[in-house]
């Protein structure tokens, strides 16, 4: 599984490009290869397949950076949940 950033995605036309992390390579992505909706600047994970005109990103999923952290307070019983971004 590779990671990258959506450089461009045209929702109307259904295609765009993902810039792969750790390289300067830009990979074509078509709407048919999306698991989640994406937009420009989204961080994503994806797989790469060989298409007719070059590499295609498939199984594209948006990364979620929210982390659920559980804290207990003492001596009061109960739990508090915080979302961090």
């Amino acid at each position: 599984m590779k990671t990258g950033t959506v450089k461009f995605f045209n929702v109307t036309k259904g295609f765009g490009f993902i810039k792969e992390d750790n390289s300067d390579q830009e990979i074509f992505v078509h709407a048919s290869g999306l698991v989640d909706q994406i937009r420009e600047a989204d961080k994503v994970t994806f797989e790469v397949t060989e298409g007719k005109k070059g590499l295609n990103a498939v199984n594209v999923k948006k990364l979620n950076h929210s982390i659920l952290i559980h804290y207990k307070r003492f001596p009061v019983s109960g739990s508090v949940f915080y979302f961090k971004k």
Side-chain angles (χ1 to χ4, degrees):
M1 189 73 61
K2 296 181 181 278
T3 60
T5 304
V6 178
K7 181 172 181 178
F8 164 81
F9 191 78
N10 185 316
V11 176
T12 305
K13 295 184 180 182
F15 76 91
F17 294 91
I18 296 172
K19 187 199 174 293
E20 183 181 1
D21 291 345
N22 303 322
S23 81
D24 290 331
Q25 190 170 22
E26 292 181 10
I27 301 167
F28 177 82
V29 60
H30 187 267
S32 63
L34 301 179
V35 174
D36 300 320
Q37 290 182 345
I38 60 171
R39 62 182 179 187
E40 194 171 311
D42 282 346
K43 294 290 289 174
V44 294
T45 61
F46 60 96
E47 297 172 17
V48 177
T49 61
E50 185 69 37
K52 291 181 181 180
K53 296 182 180 181
L55 298 178
N56 292 338
V58 295
N59 196 23
V60 179
K61 298 176 185 175
K62 188 174 174 180
L63 283 175
N64 184 355
H65 291 287
S66 293
I67 301 169
L68 180 62
I69 299 176
H70 177 251
Y71 293 93
K72 278 199 163 191
R73 288 197 244 184
F74 295 99
V76 179
S77 65
S79 298
V80 178
F81 293 90
Y82 298 94
F83 285 96
K84 283 186 127 182
K85 287 189 176 185

